[in-house]
Amino acid sequence: PNRGKFFEDNMIQRAVLPNGVVVLTEEMKQTQIAAVNFWIGVGSSFETPLTNGISHFFEHAVFKGTEKKDGLKIVSSIERKGGMINANTSRSSTRLYARVPAAEVANAIGVIGEMLTCPLFKASEMKLEREVILEEIRGTLDSPEELVEELFNVAVWGKTGHGLPVTGTLTSVRRLGRAHLLEHH
């Protein structure tokens, strides 16, 4: 079927770096905005009941600081230039992403790349972030719609990675610490 001129003008290009990282690019001449997405092929389906929530914890933890930037500098280095940065975890992957003015694409790639390669995982920051995640889990337990989804997944998949909650459980997340994050990294 005809997908229209927009798709005809934009071609996705694929390259594989020497370290195995796959890079997909698509130039969209009609826009002045760039989207930068880093997908890591690990999510909650790769976890066990003991490590449940580590991918989600990692997603939070990389925003707390690197060897060169604290958490505030990470976010401000994108947002002060008109962009936004965020992340999410699913059963199959963890994604860090930014939307920035096209002229800032190299900066966004650099910031997210640094977050993923040089996170500090400071114990004091991880303790605070664990509490944030525990509050997210409590919110799920208070939401009938979200709770039913979690119960459904356990009923279908059992206590395998696919059946475990993406955020982890109150018990599993309380156990997770810096050593788990370093091993996950």
Side-chain angles (χ1 to χ4, degrees):
N2 183 356
R3 298 189 312 168
K5 185 164 176 40
F6 179 83
F7 290 100
E8 290 172 10
D9 290 345
N10 300 299
M11 292 187 50
I12 295 175
Q13 303 215 347
R14 183 179 191 272
V16 180
L17 302 179
N19 63 3
V21 171
V22 177
V23 178
L24 301 175
T25 57
E26 178 181 20
E27 184 177 358
M28 299 174 70
K29 297 172 186 168
Q30 304 86 341
T31 183
Q32 303 270 327
I33 303 295
V36 175
N37 290 270
F38 282 65
W39 275 277
I40 305 159
V42 178
S44 63
S45 65
F46 297 87
E47 299 168 357
T48 68
L50 290 175
T51 62
N52 185 220
I54 192 66
S55 297
H56 182 247
F57 198 162
F58 177 85
E59 168 209 322
H60 280 246
V62 296
F63 276 87
K64 296 303 168 189
T66 68
E67 294 168 5
K68 297 178 185 175
K69 292 180 180 70
D70 64 20
L72 182 59
K73 228 177 211 170
I74 287 171
V75 174
S76 68
S77 65
I78 299 292
E79 292 184 352
R80 70 183 156 86
K81 297 189 177 182
M84 60 78 62
I85 186 168
N86 207 338
N88 68 312
T89 304
S90 70
R91 284 180 163 55
S92 61
S93 66
T94 304
R95 175 176 74 123
L96 279 72
Y97 61 95
R99 284 187 199 83
V100 294
E104 292 299 318
V105 72
N107 178 54
I109 291 169
V111 169
I112 296 174
E114 183 179 327
M115 291 167 66
L116 292 174
T117 58
C118 308
L120 285 182
F121 303 136
K122 288 169 78 175
S124 58
E125 292 283 353
M126 298 311 95
K127 183 179 179 183
L128 293 171
E129 205 54 37
R130 181 183 302 103
E131 291 305 315
V132 170
I133 295 167
L134 291 171
E135 196 54 42
E136 281 184 41
I137 294 168
R138 288 182 195 102
T140 297
L141 296 173
D142 286 341
S143 167
E145 180 181 331
E146 292 179 55
L147 183 56
V148 165
E149 182 178 341
E150 295 299 343
L151 293 172
F152 175 80
N153 286 323
V154 171
V156 171
W157 298 105
K159 293 203 174 197
T160 66
H162 289 295
L164 298 171
V166 172
T167 56
T169 65
L170 293 171
T171 302
S172 68
V173 171
R174 284 186 183 115
R175 272 195 303 262
L176 298 174
R178 185 173 193 273
H180 296 100
L181 288 165
L182 287 170
E183 184 178 330
H184 184 76
H185 184 247

